[in-house]
Amino acid sequence: MSDRFHFDFLVMGSGIAGLFYALRVAEHGSVGIVTKKLAADSATNWAQGGIAAVMAADDSFEDHARDTLVAGAGLCHPDVVERVVERGPAMIEALTKLGADFDPAAGGSPRSYDLGREGGHSRRRILHHRDATGQEIERVLLARARAHPRIDLFENHCGVDLLTARKAGRAGPDHALGAYVLDGATGQVDRFEARITLLATGGAGKVYLYTSNPDIASGDGMAMAWRAGATLANMEFVQFHPTCLFHPKAKSFLISEAVRGEGGILRTQAGDAFMARYHEMKDLAPRDVVARAIDTELKKSGDEWVLLDITHRDPEYVRQRFPTIHARCLEFGIDPTREPIPVVPAAHYSCGGVRTDLRGESDLANLFAAGEVACTGLHGANRLASNSLLEALVFADAAASEGIARLADLPREAGSVPAWEEGDATESHEAVVITQNWDEIRRFMWNYVGIVRSDKRLARARRRIDLLQEEITEYYWNVKLTPSLIELRNLAAVAQLVIECAQRRKESRGLHYNVDHPERDDARFATDTLVRRP
Ligand SMILES: Cc1cc2nc3c(=O)[nH]c(=O)nc-3n(C[C@H](O)[C@H](O)[C@H](O)COP(=O)(O)OP(=O)(O)OC[C@H]3O[C@@H](n4cnc5c(N)ncnc54)[C@H](O)[C@@H]3O)c2cc1C
């Protein structure tokens, strides 16, 4: 017999969005957080550079908004941009009240911060905790959530699918009722029922062979929302971080943009500082420009990596400012104070996701989404560096306010959600099916749907994903569920959505670059790409 749990609020994911939301709503109702591995396994915990907010006297909301709009290449929603940048200082205050510690300005007052600069920002506005900002935020939020009497945290619990009124056979407009969740310890699929559900499951970097993302980033929330009938937007806009450490043993280690912000120069292996040929901001050009420039240089030279050189800065400064990067590079025998760091681009951030309104709600009622799983309209066709942690906070906060306000009007709907049907599913004796399909998807997504795309490559990817989807669907319903199988199914769904959106956008804009349509076409494509399950 599977278990049933009831909460006012169900939160899926324990990164910045899920935890910040949980802490706010827990003052008004019971909260269940399910998270598929250990609670700190999140992209949040890996964020290095920091969080953007207007804090300096020479900065303004207008400047932050303008930088965001420029990066977004015509697809940002101006009302969302305005809302997010204006909420920045309040969100920083909320985090510091909870105990987060951001580096102070040298000799400044207690409330003035050492503000970093990153690509695409016209001002210094990145608050950071040395180069481990995300870890600091995760540490604080998680400690608070664990200590909260109204929050139950379920680790090793993987969301499988959303519970909806339609699935429960109810008449009337569809709405979310919680989720089916696989308990990693028992192998059972339990019902987690809730009046309000928040998806905070993060991004989908694992859909690509090379990624800066942690293993949890398999797009589960996007796939679940899509299967439940919610609209997703802009899945073609995948940001490739230009600089991941290149080393056979360094899995997914990112060299923060802040290294270029503090003077780091990209060079070919022959020593050529090539960025001046690609953009007037040189090494501080927006990420998509830098990633494409590296891709072009690598294709031209046949090299496997380029170099990021910060050796001209004072070694003590480099050690102090980038302790994590410095230590990690040393582990691989590279001393960044004396030699340039070998780097390659890697899939980093999903700008697309579950489409939400200004309250963070999807078009499936009572289903909210915040953080990287969502597409709020902030990033448009390209995310400005360090805007994502801020966006996660602002929308978690907005969703919490809406949820709290709505709670009293929502009935407790216990009793009518069907249990998970296991049917004739048997134990899988062929784990190879999962690893083979997983590898195949990630490889063809990298080769055909990566930094530079073409109509032919997208068509090839489409044929492959259609075939794989058939195989995976058949396999999925015949064997007992495991976390890897859930992730594979979701990865395939997300890959299909990225390809579908990329095929529809017959132009180049922001992060989507197609050699067969190299120009931006505002007449036909100055809109979001929306996908919804037929
Ligand atoms: C290396 C790196 C550096 C970055 N640096 C910065 C930076 O400096 N500044 C910035 O603004 N952004 C940065 N980003 C992006 C930013 O960290 C993320 O966008 C942000 O942390 C996402 O937060 P989130 O809460 O949406 O998701 P996450 O922090 O990724 O959390 C997702 C959670 O959902 C859980 N989950 C997923 N699927 C399921 C499921 N099926 N069931 C249950 N739980 C599930 C996961 O286990 C995890 O707990 C960086 C990202 C990376 C990878």
Side-chain angles (χ1 to χ4, degrees), residues 85-100:
V85 301
E86 289 187 1
R87 295 286 293 146
M91 293 297 102
I92 298 300
E93 196 182 331
L95 278 184
T96 49
K97 269 196 184 142
L98 287 167

Side-chain angles (χ1 to χ4, degrees), residues 379-398:
H379 307 302
N382 191 2
R383 173 188 72 127
L384 186 66
S386 287
N387 263 357
S388 37
L389 291 173
L390 176 63
E391 181 202 37
L393 290 170
V394 171
F395 276 88
D397 187 60

